[in-house]
Structure formats: C-alpha cells, structure tokens
Amino acid sequence: MPIQDRDYIRGSHPPNCNCVECTNKRLKKTQGETYQKFIPNWPRFGKGSIGKRADNMGGQKAYRHRPHIPNWLIALLLMVALSVAGLVTSRFVGSFIPFCLLFGFSVFFCIEKWLSHYTRKYRFFGRIYRLILNLSALSLLGLLIWSGVLLFTQQFMQSPLIGSLIFMVELAVFIWLCRVVYRNSWRQPSMKLTVFSLICLFLIFAFAGVQPFSGYKDEAVGKITSFINTQREEAEGRSAEAKAREIERLRDLGFSDPASVVEELSTNKELKIGIEVLEKVNDIRKERGSTELQWDSELYEYSLAHAKDMAAQKRLFHSSMYEPFAENAWGGEGSKSWTAQTIVDSWMNSSMHRTWLLCPGLRHVAVGVAYSNNGMYAAWTFWRSETSLSDWWYIDSPDNPPEWWY
C-alpha cells in the first residue's frame, strides 16, 4: 500500500497532500492568515512582526477573517440549484431525463470537487462511490442508446429540436462521466468486475424465478426462439423453392425421376458436371436454331463406364464401331479442378468433336465424368441410330465442314 494511503487510513495527511483542506491551510500560512490563537506560538511572527507587516501593506486589514462557508454547504446548495433547474426543465419537456441528468451531474461534480477527501480517507465509502460511478455510467450508456434509437426514428420527444438537445446533453454528460470513471480507475471494484457481477446476478435471479428478471428472461428467450424458428422456416421455404426449381429443370432435361437426382447431386460432383455440360451445349444449340437435347439414363451408364475406363488407363480412346453408341472423349491430367465450361470449349474448338455437339439429328445424350489420381475424364455419348451418313462429313473432308456447323 502506498505511504499516502496509509496516512489517510490513520487519519493524518501526508506532507505533500493536495486535498482542498491541506491546500487552504498552506495558502493561509503563505498569506499569514492564521487563527489568532496560533499567532503567539508561530515562531516567524510576533506581535511586532504582525504590526510591521500590516504597516508594510499600507494599513490594510490583512488579518481580518473572511466568513468561511463549509464545503458540504456549497455542495448542497449546488445540488439543490441544479435539481430545481432539472425539475423545471423536466416539467417543460414532459420527461424526467433532464432532472436525472442534472441531479446526477451535481452529485458527482460536488464529490469530485469538494468531498473527494472523504472517499480517499474512508476506503469503504470510496468503494461504494466507485460502484455507484460504474452503475451510473452503464445506466447512462443504456439511456444514450435508447434515446438515440428513438431520436433517429423520430419518436423520442414531441419536438425533434428538444429531443436533439437532450440527446446532446446526455452525450456530454456521458463523456464527462467516463473521464470521472477513468480518474477513479485505481479504486475497486473495476468496471469489468461490475459488469460481470451484474450479468451473474441477473442470470441467478432470472433462473431462480425472481421477478421482473424472470419475466425479462422468458421474453428474451421467446423472442430468440421465435427468431430462430422464423429463420429456419424461411430457410426451409427457400430450400423447397430451390429444390422445386431444380426438379423442374431436370425434368426439362429429360430425367424420369428428377427428385432422386436432386438428392444425388448434393454428393455426386461428377453427375453435376455432366449435367452442366449438357445445359451449356443446349444453350449453344438454341442460339443456332437446333433442337435441345434430352438426358438418356441408359446412355449415362455407358458414358460413365467409358469415362471410368479412360481414367483408370489415363488415356483417351473410343468404343467399338459395332456398339450402338458413340462418344466424344475428353481428358485432362494434372488437375481435378476442370469445369464444365472447359470441357465444352475444348470440344467446340475441335471441328470433328463439334459435329457431335451440334448434329441436328441428335435427340438423346449423356455425359459421364470420372476422376483419375491426378486428372479428370469425360465422355459425350449419343446413339448412332440418331445420326446419318451425311453427318459423317469429316471422313472424306475433315478440313472443310459445312458452313452451318459454325
């Protein structure tokens, strides 16, 4: 404990004390304005010295005692004056906020100005004072937030001008009170301890059924539960709408059981990429006036098996010419992050592969995708029966495709 604090506890002031009482005593000693009964015992001045000093001051009555007003009386008068002013203002604006602000300000100002010695001398009163400071700062912060919300929604006061003035006064008092709390930060309890204690007390009283804390708890829990349920219902509604749109999209692509496919897409990345390839090719065909293609489940089995074979062998090859189906093959090693757009662009940049994307006789296709250890392979599979000999133009003239192919 510092030496000064021990002196305060013992009831004596240290030599360098800066309280109001000690400052006044040193000032009186400097000016020579001591009480008459102490003059004979003061070694610096005797009767002759006092008379000589009075003569040097031009005959002025240097030692006339001025009336002494106690500090507590000054503080009381100031608190009464500000309280009356607050009552008058509150009656004028129709709210008790001005009275609370002025009364609280007067109390803390008087304690800091004239009565801080007692809060230093008596530790118990100092702790009570710090606790009241903390609670007042927290209450004023809550009042400031509440007033700000009502002010910006134009519900604070009958007059927006009066509401704005009161809000600015609240803000000024809050800033001043924060400075007072900072100056008293060496006292206990701290602000963190106060906030933690308030939260703990609120929770204990709320769950113990003490009113009104229990009512506040039930209301808060009800609002939180209602908010969570509302968000869950909205999320479920959005998910149901998205699922319905996805089912409709897959039905348009020719899937016989789109609902089960939607469930599978959440885990089957390869199938998702294959469907995206078909949609992108359909967009290109639509721009060129060709019929949109449909997904064929039987072709998908052949296409997926062919893609897996290529991934296992890490090379591109085609199925036998005697099979009822044919395919475009694609493969990419060195990465597993290829996209559907990459596959479509690769086929569209090849005249022979572009033939089997834009062939006007095609109606049903499927796209199988499979991953190797460090790559990805895809197969665009279609029925040979839906093509004709005229579609195999590249056999005789691979470098001269029909003009409409572009």
Side-chain angles (χ1 to χ4, degrees):
M1 179 185 297
I3 299 177
Q4 295 185 4
D5 290 350
R6 292 200 297 267
D7 294 334
Y8 280 127
I9 295 173
R10 290 196 297 267
S12 60
H13 294 245
N16 59 346
C17 179
N18 293 326
C19 70
V20 177
E21 186 177 352
C22 293
T23 303
N24 290 337
K25 286 183 178 181
R26 285 196 294 270
L27 183 60
K28 291 178 180 179
K29 289 180 181 180
T30 304
Q31 297 177 349
E33 298 179 359
T34 56
Y35 291 104
Q36 196 68 27
K37 61 181 179 180
F38 294 115
I39 290 178
N41 298 325
W42 200 352
R44 286 187 60 187
F45 301 107
K47 292 183 179 180
S49 301
I50 294 176
K52 183 177 180 180
R53 184 171 183 179
D55 294 339
N56 294 335
M57 296 178 66
Q60 297 180 2
K61 297 181 179 180
Y63 300 101
R64 176 177 294 178
H65 296 288
R66 291 177 295 181
H68 177 69
I69 302 177
N71 292 335
W72 64 267
L73 182 58
I74 300 175
L76 181 61
L77 292 175
L78 180 61
M79 286 189 291
V80 171
L82 291 181
S83 299
V84 172
L87 285 174
V88 173
T89 308
S90 297
R91 185 175 181 83
F92 174 74
V93 301
S95 174
F96 275 97
I97 294 179
F99 169 75
C100 296
L101 290 175
L102 291 178
F103 177 74
F105 171 77
S106 64
V107 171
F108 292 122
F109 179 82
C110 293
I111 293 177
E112 289 293 316
K113 182 69 175 179
W114 295 296
L115 305 176
S116 61
H117 163 68
Y118 298 101
T119 61
R120 293 175 179 270
K121 183 177 181 180
Y122 303 102
R123 180 176 297 181
F124 174 77
F125 292 115
R127 291 181 175 179
I128 296 297
Y129 175 61
R130 176 60 195 276
L131 178 62
I132 296 175
L133 273 177
N134 294 342
L135 296 178
S136 301
L138 294 175
S139 302
L140 188 54
L141 177 61
L143 177 63
L144 197 62
I145 296 174
W146 175 78
S147 302
V149 172
L150 293 183
L151 177 64
F152 290 111
T153 56
Q154 298 182 356
Q155 300 176 0
F156 185 39
M157 290 290 174
Q158 297 179 354
S159 173
L161 178 60
I162 296 177
S164 301
L165 292 176
I166 293 179
F167 180 78
M168 288 189 291
V169 172
E170 290 177 0
L171 183 60
V173 174
F174 177 73
I175 295 174
W176 176 82
L177 190 59
C178 289
R179 295 183 60 185
V180 174
V181 172
Y182 178 76
R183 286 199 300 266
N184 290 271
S185 58
W186 57 275
R187 301 180 189 271
Q188 293 293 334
S190 63
M191 181 64 76
K192 294 180 181 179
L193 180 60
T194 303
V195 174
F196 179 75
S197 302
L198 288 176
I199 294 175
C200 291
L201 289 175
F202 176 81
L203 293 177
I204 292 173
F205 290 155
F207 286 97
V210 178
Q211 294 295 342
F213 304 102
S214 180
Y216 296 152
K217 183 260 296 181
D218 295 337
E219 182 179 0
V221 171
K223 289 183 178 180
I224 294 174
T225 304
S226 176
F227 176 77
I228 293 175
N229 293 335
T230 302
Q231 294 297 318
R232 183 184 294 113
E233 292 175 358
E234 293 179 356
E236 291 176 355
R238 291 191 297 268
S239 177
E241 293 177 359
K243 185 177 181 180
R245 290 194 298 269
E246 187 73 7
I247 290 175
E248 187 65 25
R249 181 176 69 91
L250 294 177
R251 184 178 287 111
D252 294 339
L253 289 176
F255 286 90
S256 58
D257 188 11
S260 61
V261 176
V262 170
E263 298 295 334
E264 186 179 357
L265 286 176
S266 60
T267 57
N268 193 336
K269 183 179 178 181
E270 295 88 341
L271 177 59
K272 184 176 180 180
I273 294 177
I275 294 175
E276 290 178 358
V277 169
L278 175 59
E279 289 179 326
K280 293 182 181 300
V281 172
N282 276 339
D283 292 338
I284 298 174
R285 291 175 66 92
K286 187 186 301 183
E287 294 176 357
R288 303 185 180 216
S290 298
T291 306
E292 295 185 30
L293 304 176
Q294 298 287 305
W295 186 274
D296 191 303
S297 300
E298 184 179 357
L299 279 175
Y300 179 65
E301 295 180 4
Y302 299 139
S303 180
L304 182 60
H306 189 79
K308 289 182 177 180
D309 289 343
M310 290 191 297
Q313 300 180 34
K314 296 183 179 181
R315 67 184 183 90
L316 298 178
F317 56 88
H318 289 281
S319 57
S320 172
M321 294 182 60
Y322 300 101
E323 297 289 348
F325 54 84
E327 69 281 316
N328 279 346
W330 180 92
E333 285 289 336
S335 174
K336 293 186 177 182
S337 60
W338 305 105
T339 63
Q341 188 64 52
T342 305
I343 299 173
V344 174
D345 291 341
S346 177
W347 282 333
M348 287 296 296
N349 291 328
S350 171
S351 59
M352 291 184 293
H353 293 90
R354 184 168 58 248
T355 301
W356 307 118
L357 299 183
L358 305 180
C359 181
L362 287 182
R363 294 295 181 269
H364 301 86
V365 295
V367 182
V369 177
Y371 289 100
S372 64
N373 294 335
N374 192 27
M376 188 173 73
Y377 292 82
W380 169 275
T381 309
F382 54 91
W383 295 114
R384 292 178 180 269
S385 60
E386 294 182 353
T387 65
S388 62
L389 293 178
S390 61
D391 296 329
W392 298 79
W393 52 266
Y394 62 84
I395 295 178
D396 298 325
S397 180
D399 298 327
N400 187 23
E403 183 179 355
W404 63 268
W405 238 243
Y406 293 99

